[in-house]
Amino acid sequence: MAAPIEPYERASLELERPIQSSSHRILLSPVREVNDEIRSESIIRPAVEGVGQLLQVNRDASRSAARKYYLDQLDERNAVILFRCTGRDCGRSNVWANQIFNEARLYGRDINQDYLAAAYKDTDGVLHLVLVYTVTRGNQREYVWVEQLTTGPDAVVPGFSTGSARIRGPVIVSWSGGVTFQFDYDAAARRQLQEWSAEPGSQVLLNSYTVLGDDQSLADAMDRARQAADSLATLLGKSGVSREQIVPVIIGPAVRFEDPSRQGNRIEVKVVSQP
């Protein structure tokens, strides 16, 4: 099994908490609190074991440097970033601190926080999940919370493929409409695809799925999937993804998944890097 990522060296370890759970809550989208309930569009609850660490960043360092350290370590392990957010896009810091991580020292200003969730497989085939949350408190002290977890081989992790490390994604983009299309394509997903597709020679696969209506022909369903892929390709072009990089894969209703996050009219975007 791969050695865990060492704590950021320019920080002090304030707390280390063992984590062992048959249903550990991991958020892959911004958090909201509605009537004292945690709401997030994408939450997984795998069985995990591992450790959580609370770090206080030294005054001569910064949480941005700490975040970069963990991103570099994840990159060395060919990890896939499942979700990333910054500032108010993450939701309320109070909820992350007291409801998600159960650590009051992580409560800071909503604008001064960030979060990422990542996954990678080590050389033994063990799936690792890594969560990194950083925040600046009102007294200007900066903290980092890191969870390093392992989970079973049957765990379903949206956005992580067990195949080639050259294939990143999918980023799942739900859509609605017909003549014109509306896409559920937030800023975090846009930044993620921009980063992946910026690598020289990378190709962007648009795997387009549709639901077959009761009164709809297969040809019509396939045509809607094709039009949705063309519309998303145009949208991606406006955010810097070259049309020459894009490869539409029209699947329509031909393939079904049990995973609840992979249902309905959607385009699953994957990025394939050069060998």
Side-chain angles (χ1 to χ4, degrees), residues 1-215:
M1 184 181 296
I5 298 172
E6 292 294 325
Y8 178 53
E9 64 180 4
R10 299 179 68 184
S12 59
L13 180 61
E14 301 284 303
L15 171 72
E16 189 164 271
R17 180 190 302 160
I19 298 173
Q20 187 165 12
S21 172
S22 60
S23 181
H24 190 61
R25 181 171 55 196
I26 296 175
L27 273 61
L28 302 181
S29 60
V31 66
R32 295 181 297 130
E33 188 177 27
V34 180
N35 297 326
D36 296 325
E37 292 186 5
I38 300 301
R39 301 286 179 87
S40 181
E41 292 185 1
S42 182
I43 300 177
I44 59 174
R45 293 180 177 273
V48 302
E49 60 180 43
V51 66
Q53 295 175 323
L54 178 69
L55 306 172
Q56 183 177 151
V57 180
N58 296 346
R59 292 190 181 275
D60 62 348
S62 67
R63 66 184 181 88
S64 61
R67 180 175 65 251
K68 183 179 184 302
Y69 163 76
Y70 285 103
L71 282 168
D72 289 345
Q73 292 294 311
L74 290 167
D75 188 58
E76 288 181 8
R77 291 160 170 78
N78 294 316
V80 171
I81 305 299
L82 306 171
F83 173 68
R84 180 190 301 183
C85 62
T86 301
R88 292 191 176 95
D89 288 344
C90 297
R92 295 176 57 203
S93 175
N94 177 48
V95 178
W96 287 100
N98 296 309
Q99 302 296 321
I100 304 301
F101 300 127
N102 298 311
E103 176 49 62
R105 282 172 286 184
L106 293 172
Y107 178 29
R109 296 180 61 193
D110 294 346
I111 197 172
N112 294 329
Q113 61 175 336
D114 55 72
Y115 168 75
L116 69 86
Y120 69 91
K121 275 198 170 182
D122 62 24
T123 54
D124 295 323
V126 177
L127 177 59
H128 297 254
L129 299 170
V130 180
L131 315 180
V132 181
Y133 178 81
T134 81
V135 69
T136 302
R137 288 178 53 83
N139 61 5
Q140 300 306 306
R141 294 316 308 262
E142 296 184 320
Y143 285 86
V144 181
W145 176 260
V146 182
E147 293 185 12
Q148 298 192 66
L149 313 166
T150 59
T151 187
D154 298 328
V156 175
V157 180
F160 183 76
S161 170
T162 58
S164 171
R166 290 174 50 207
I167 302 176
R168 295 177 173 179
V171 172
I172 300 176
V173 181
S174 300
W175 59 264
S176 59
V179 178
T180 59
F181 294 88
Q182 294 79 46
F183 297 99
D184 184 7
Y185 182 50
D186 61 21
R190 183 163 57 251
R191 286 193 297 267
Q192 184 71 88
L193 291 177
Q194 286 173 337
E195 290 178 11
W196 290 348
S197 62
E199 296 182 6
S202 62
Q203 291 185 293
V204 180
L205 305 182
L206 305 184
N207 302 294
S208 188
Y209 297 84
T210 53
V211 174
L212 182 64
D214 293 338
D215 58 351

Side-chain angles (χ1 to χ4, degrees), residues 210-218 220-221 224 253 265:
T210 53
V211 174
L212 182 64
D214 293 338
D215 58 351
Q216 185 180 39
S217 70
L218 177 60
D220 286 345
R224 284 189 76 208
N265 295 325

